[in-house]
Amino acid sequence: DVYKRQVPARRPSPPHRPQRGGGGGGGMLRRAAGVVLGAAVTMMTLSGGLVQAAEGAPSNAAAIVLQDDRGQTVRLSGPPARIVSLLPSLTESVCALGACDRLVGVDDYSNWPPQAAALPRLGGLDTTQIERVVALRPDLVLLSRSSRAAVRLEALGLNVASFEPQSLDDVARVLERTARMLGLPDAPRRAQSLWHTLDAEVTQAATTLKPAQARQRLYVELASGPYAAGPSSFIGGLMERLGARNIVSAELGAYPRLNPETVLQAQPDRIVVGAYGAREMASRPGWSRLRALQQDAVCVFAADEMDVLVRPGPRLGDAARLLADCLAGRMAGLRGERVDARGDAAPDAGRRP
């Protein structure tokens, strides 16, 4: 679900299946204390405990000083040559900014682009394998603000930067911060150029919709609970850019857990749900009365499509196109048919054109 693939907001409890991967708790650290602390000591310099730069890192580069989303000041002696990323959207952002070759390890769910997917896996949100991260000798660890690993990694001398975009504006901001954290030449311009490309892709997706398609009332379910995408989330921002109306009230927050009755009363015109949650929808009390379910106006996103939708990073244009395809009836429903904006079965049934 959304939290296996990406954490778009501070983690509710519990919006996701338990994550799998190696444990990173205190017991593990005690068992590996000699290895971990030995590795940490060999990596730390005498000046402030910063991790030594990897071979090939610029020796005369200017220091990087930046505040992350925790409000913590991160100081690097120069551009990081060895990076661990523990959040899929940050992994994708590093690669989109041209620094994929600096990644030496990623979280269990960073599966795009293929170059990143081939890197060592280091656990999930709550299961970061601390000793394996340390053993990779990273100059910088990028992770979510929600991650519990940050304090432990910093205590072992690693440089940690936490970024967690929630809104569309946050995505632009984090791209710029990431570019600066990487020490890229002309970082603000490069991040702005990437953002302008993504923004244009979202605008283009909106132009593919007819007015009646765009004005539909949409419910995007991210996980069983049900948990939904609210207007203040980046997914809600994409919906607004496309012209769709979100059934979730703004005061509920970015990723609220809804009372199932709320959805029933709202009667959305169309529903977005991952394949993992589609089967249980009709069995929820009262949901058989949802017109969207009766008319199969349900867009069932495959796992790779949900990955795109829930990651606030450089594939925002693809996410907007997926939502536009849903609103236009170009995606398969629960019965495998496409359903157009009037609720009629569309011709040429199938998943995607």
Side-chain angles (χ1 to χ4, degrees):
D1 64 25
V2 61
Y3 283 88
K4 289 176 64 178
R5 301 179 178 94
Q6 168 69 25
V7 185
R10 182 165 292 278
R11 177 187 175 204
S13 178
H16 63 298
R17 305 183 188 95
Q19 296 201 45
R20 295 180 292 276
M28 178 190 68
L29 286 179
R30 287 191 294 272
R31 291 191 298 272
V35 175
V36 174
L37 293 178
V41 168
T42 59
M43 288 191 300
M44 293 175 66
T45 68
L46 296 177
S47 56
L50 294 176
V51 177
Q52 292 178 350
E55 293 182 8
S59 59
N60 58 348
I64 298 169
V65 181
L66 188 66
Q67 191 174 77
D68 69 5
D69 282 359
R70 300 171 299 164
Q72 298 294 316
T73 299
V74 183
R75 292 181 174 86
L76 303 179
S77 58
R82 297 178 62 83
I83 300 170
V84 165
S85 173
L86 299 176
L87 190 66
S89 65
L90 295 178
T91 302
E92 296 182 10
S93 296
V94 169
C95 290
L97 289 165
C100 212
D101 58 342
R102 301 197 215 171
L103 290 171
V104 295
V106 294
D107 66 283
D108 285 352
Y109 308 108
S110 286
N111 53 10
W112 190 90
Q115 183 177 349
L119 292 168
R121 302 289 163 157
L122 304 170
L125 178 66
D126 293 331
T127 59
T128 303
Q129 299 174 41
I130 301 295
E131 77 280 9
R132 292 190 64 208
V133 174
V134 174
L136 287 170
R137 300 179 293 111
D139 305 315
L140 176 66
V141 180
L142 296 171
L143 42 66
S144 164
R145 190 180 61 199
S146 305
S147 174
R148 300 173 183 174
V151 173
R152 288 178 285 166
L153 292 170
E154 287 176 325
L156 291 170
L158 300 186
N159 296 303
V160 172
S162 298
F163 297 113
E164 193 165 313
Q166 295 194 38
S167 67
L168 285 180
D169 287 343
D170 282 342
V171 176
R173 175 184 58 79
V174 170
L175 283 174
E176 192 269 342
R177 293 284 182 89
T178 303
R180 289 176 56 194
M181 199 85 255
L182 295 172
L184 297 176
D186 201 6
R189 183 194 61 79
R190 292 178 67 168
Q192 188 177 57
S193 176
L194 176 57
W195 173 251
H196 284 166
T197 297
L198 301 180
D199 188 64
E201 290 175 353
V202 174
T203 298
Q204 175 58 33
T207 66
T208 67
L209 294 171
K210 298 176 182 178
Q213 295 170 335
R215 288 195 297 268
Q216 293 178 89
R217 302 176 72 249
L218 191 61
Y219 166 58
V220 178
E221 181 169 304
L222 301 177
S224 298
Y227 287 85
S232 61
S233 69
F234 72 95
I235 299 172
L238 290 177
M239 293 164 62
E240 182 178 4
R241 288 283 301 274
L242 294 174
R245 294 174 290 168
N246 197 330
I247 70 159
V248 179
S249 299
E251 61 267 18
L252 294 179
Y255 301 96
R257 182 174 186 174
L258 301 180
N259 183 327
E261 186 66 23
T262 301
V263 181
L264 184 59
Q265 292 177 356
Q267 287 290 342
D269 299 312
R270 199 167 286 271
I271 295 171
V272 170
V273 64
Y276 58 85
R279 300 181 192 90
E280 69 175 66
M281 273 194 163
S283 65
R284 293 174 183 166
W287 279 39
S288 61
R289 301 198 304 273
L290 281 173
R291 288 188 292 274
L293 287 180
Q294 294 171 356
Q295 298 169 357
D296 202 17
V298 179
C299 301
V300 181
F301 279 33
D304 60 334
E305 293 170 330
M306 285 301 290
D307 285 347
V308 172
L309 179 64
V310 303
R311 295 177 181 176
R315 292 195 285 173
L316 279 180
D318 294 333
R321 284 188 285 270
L322 285 170
L323 289 174
D325 283 351
C326 174
L327 291 165
R330 295 190 290 263
M331 296 191 73
L334 295 172
R335 296 191 292 269
E337 295 180 336
R338 297 174 188 160
V339 180
D340 67 18
R342 298 186 305 277
D344 301 323
D348 189 26
R351 167 147 288 281
R352 292 180 61 74

